[in-house]
Amino acid sequence: MDERKKKSNNSQEDEEKDEEKEPKTILGVFTKQQFTMICVAVGLVVLLLIITVTSVVLPINSGSETSKTMVPFTTDGDMLEFLLQNGEIQEKDGLYATWYHSANSKVETQKALESDTMILEADVNVQGHNTDNETNIPIMAHPPDVYSDNTLEEWLDAVIRSKKGIKLDFKSLQAVEPSLNLLKNKNQTGINRPVWLNADILPGPNVPGFWPVVNGTRFLELIQTKFPDVTISPGWKVLYLPPFPDVTYTKAMVMEMYTTVKHLPQRITFPVLAVMVRNGWPHLSWLLSQSSRFSLTLWQGQENPTVNDLLFVRDNTNPQRIYYDIYEPVLSQFKEAAKQKDRPRRFYTGGDIVDYFKPANSDGFNILWEKVYDQASLLSVLKESPGGMLVIPVTSGTGDVRIPVVEGSLPELPLQNCLDLVLASKNPWGIYLRVKSQRQLATSLHLLRKAYANDLLYHPVWINMDISLGVFNVKGYITGLEFVRTINQIFPYVTMAPSWPQEVLDQGYTPQVVEDMMELFQEVWQDVSLQLLAVHLDRSEAGIRIIQQSQERFSLTVEQRTRIEGLQMKSLTFFRNGTRHRTFYNVPKAVKGFVSEIPNKT
């Protein structure tokens, strides 16, 4: 046994020596060291593959996740509705939509996509525009640049993976058709957000008629035929000149734009330079009122708009129909001011008094009217009444005929003092000036203009005079044309409230008398309220019916100037049957009690 053990020990020692002589192998091929090196190399390759695949797949997955979380949406849909559905805003208010400008290059586009802005605005041209190398490839570039590292196709691919709205600003007509074809193709798989298409198609303020613009007729035709499912943003080419700060959008400019687009079925938003909007408000507000599909987009150039001007626009419009493409810090200041619930409303002086007073049932009958006799009566009304239209008869002062005063006031109350008291009141008041002479028309308008320029006048203003015209041409009265001309030259931001001389009303408001008045005021851009004396209504059914058929253009105001004037139930019933938000009653409170019993037939 000891021998066997000895032999066994000798054999084990020999095997160990042999193992030391021959290295160990794995899988019969690799040494341990070689196998370890191979494993490390394979691990590095796998890690590199994971990193590469992740970097490629994650953006795609991220885009897919974005698409999954977005509510399906059409390219011609409402921008605010889109932002609301995707949780970007909490209410449909253009104030809260935010913009990123000139997201053209790939770097800027990426910055825009990573920002918290909601709508991306970018400029589209064709590569090499107006050069020998011009192509039909749409690129993202603002003139004078005609080359870019970013094509429209690449831009769309990136933006579609986000939740951003799209606004494309075309800098040449050549870029329009290939861009529309591209949009149509992309939409086959779903752009899934509103698309706005902008171009300056008309010369605007301070721009001569020969200045080049995008051909509006062709621009709109291409949209209708190639890709009509959009919001159209047709604008004016504008130049702001600080030496001429009052230059703005004129009636002619606005009418030309309306004529150009009124037949279109799409939503339309008109881009307007913010610093010019307040002075052009009579015309721009008219444009906005022509269709519920119309909106305005206020944009900012180098000059900052004032917060007060922005508040003015906001206070006179539906918040769903105005967008504010405004820079910081003005935008934040504006938002902060707009949130203040107790701030006074900056009402447009030529605006609708139903919108201003907001009477029950939007019925003009429920608006109060108060006459000013002197300072004591004015102070009493301002203290005791909740607000209403203040009828102020204006004549020349006895000491100085150049100074307008309240007629019959003792001591004489200058109109300036009267206005100061009204403007200092916190209650809502409308100003109705019943002017006696042409001299006092001009001086009164100058006072209003001064208050407006000093940012003090935010009340509805009506200007009344008995005027002479056509079949009611009577000596001693201002002509209708002179009445309109004087208002437009001095302070046009009013409601014109003309009335007829009593000398021509023996037969009441006859059709001929009414039609002559309507013909004169049909073309003025201000609102017009025709003033009818209650005492003549019983002989005026035919004439009143003519006005009532045109109440979209002309409102009606029945007036009882003296307490001894008679009122006929039949006449008032007929008068009451007009459009109630366009019919007003400048009559004593006792008479209003009588009128309130008339049943509503409209």
Side-chain angles (χ1 to χ4, degrees), residues 66-126:
T66 300
S67 298
K68 289 179 182 178
T69 58
M70 287 175 62
V71 179
F73 209 86
T74 59
T75 51
D76 61 352
D78 177 56
M79 183 68 80
L80 293 179
E81 184 64 32
F82 167 75
L83 297 176
L84 181 67
Q85 288 187 13
N86 285 285
E88 297 295 323
I89 57 177
Q90 302 305 310
E91 57 182 306
K92 290 179 67 174
D93 187 336
L95 176 61
Y96 301 113
T98 54
W99 304 77
Y100 194 102
H101 295 272
S102 301
N104 294 331
S105 68
K106 288 183 177 179
V107 171
E108 282 300 322
T109 301
Q110 189 60 36
K111 286 181 181 179
L113 292 172
E114 293 172 355
S115 73
D116 58 1
T117 52
M118 305 170 193
I119 306 167
L120 268 58
E121 181 270 341
D123 306 296
V124 187
N125 209 336
V126 288

Side-chain angles (χ1 to χ4, degrees), residues 6 15 102 197 303 305 351 354 425 469 546 595-596:
K6 187 176 180 180
E15 290 175 0
S102 301
L197 303 183
E303 296 291 327
V354 170
S425 174
L469 178 73
I546 292 172
V595 176
S596 65

Side-chain angles (χ1 to χ4, degrees), residues 282-301:
H283 314 305
L284 295 174
S285 61
W286 175 87
L287 180 61
L288 196 60
S289 72
Q290 298 308 298
S291 173
S292 60
R293 295 179 290 106
F294 291 176
S295 64
L296 299 178
T297 301
L298 275 61
W299 60 274
Q300 180 178 342

